[in-house]
Amino acid sequence: MNQILKELSQKDHSEKSINALNLEIGKWFLGTPYVEKTLEIPGEEKLVIDFQGLDCTTYLETVVTLSRLVKYGNLNFEDYEKELEFLRYRDGSNTGYPSRLHYFSEWIYENQKKGILDDITAEIGGKPYANKPSFMSSNPQYYPQLSNAEYLSLIRETEKEIGVRDYYYIPKEEIQKLENKIKPGDLIAITAARNDLDMVHVGFAVEKNGRVHLMHASSGSMKVEISEKPLSEYLAGFRAQSGVMVCRFR
C-alpha cells in the first residue's frame, strides 16, 4: 500500500483525467487474485482495505480511490482511508453495516450526488431499466449481519428507495453499435437478467484493437484481467447479464 502511494507521488499526474488515471492505476493490479465477499465480515462494520485479494467492487473502489487521491488529494494512508470511506458509504460516512452501498445502482446514485461521476447511460442511448432489487432482504441467510432485525429493516427501506428511482441501461444486444460512445476509463456496471438484483459485475472500459473491453476482477480467471473478448461479446456468453450502465468520472 505505502509503496504504491510512494510510486504515485513520484510523477506529476495533474494533467490527467480521472478516467486516464483509472486505466493507468487499474493495470497495476492485473494478475491480483480474485477473492469474493471480502467486505462481508461478521461483527462491527469496518473499513476493509486489502490490496492482496479483490472482488470486482473492491477492485473498482481501490482504483478510483487512488485515482482521486492522485488528482485531488495527498498521497498518504490516512487520506486513502478517508477517500475510500467517502466512496463506499452513503453520505460518505461509515455509520454501520446498512450505510454501506451494497447495491451498485445505489453506489452510482450516491456517488453521482457526491460529484464523483455522472451516469451517462441515458444520454448515450440507454433504455429504461426496471430496477427493483430485493435479493438481500429476501435472502438474509447469505449475509451474517442481517440476522440483526434492525439492519434487515433498513436494507428493505434502501431497496424501496432504489425501486422508485429512474435508471437506464444498454441492452447487451445494443452495446456494439453504441460502444463508440464509451470512453476508456469509464465505469461499466453490468445489469442483472433476474429481477431481484440490480448489478452482477463491475469494471472499467479499456480500448483494445479498436474495441471496448472490460478490465475487471474476474471470478472466472480468479484474477484481475482485461477480457479477451470485446464487451458486447463478453456479455453475450452470460445469461445472467442483461446489459450495462456506463458512468464517467469527473
Side-chain angles (χ1 to χ4, degrees), residues 34 44 89 104 109 112 121 146 157 174 177 182 197 207 216 219 233 248:
Y34 175 92
E44 182 182 352
Y89 293 91
F104 205 80
Y109 175 82
Q112 182 164 264
T121 313
L146 294 187
E157 288 302 313
E174 300 180 20
K177 72 178 182 181
I182 300 174
L197 278 176
E207 186 177 344
H216 62 132
S219 60
E233 284 89 333
R248 189 157 296 153

Side-chain angles (χ1 to χ4, degrees), residues 169-229:
Y169 82 123
I170 300 171
K172 59 183 178 182
E173 300 82 7
E174 300 180 20
I175 291 173
Q176 185 169 355
K177 72 178 182 181
L178 297 174
E179 69 178 304
N180 63 327
K181 298 180 181 180
I182 300 174
K183 293 184 178 180
D186 282 349
L187 184 161
I188 302 295
I190 299 177
T191 54
R194 55 191 294 169
N195 59 16
D196 61 349
L197 278 176
D198 57 349
M199 309 294 179
V200 292
H201 199 47
V202 296
F204 297 102
V206 297
E207 186 177 344
K208 185 179 175 182
N209 300 322
R211 299 293 305 279
V212 172
H213 289 245
L214 185 69
M215 183 165 64
H216 62 132
S218 169
S219 60
S221 66
M222 297 301 290
K223 64 183 180 181
V224 176
E225 65 169 18
I226 297 174
S227 63
E228 290 186 9
K229 296 179 180 180

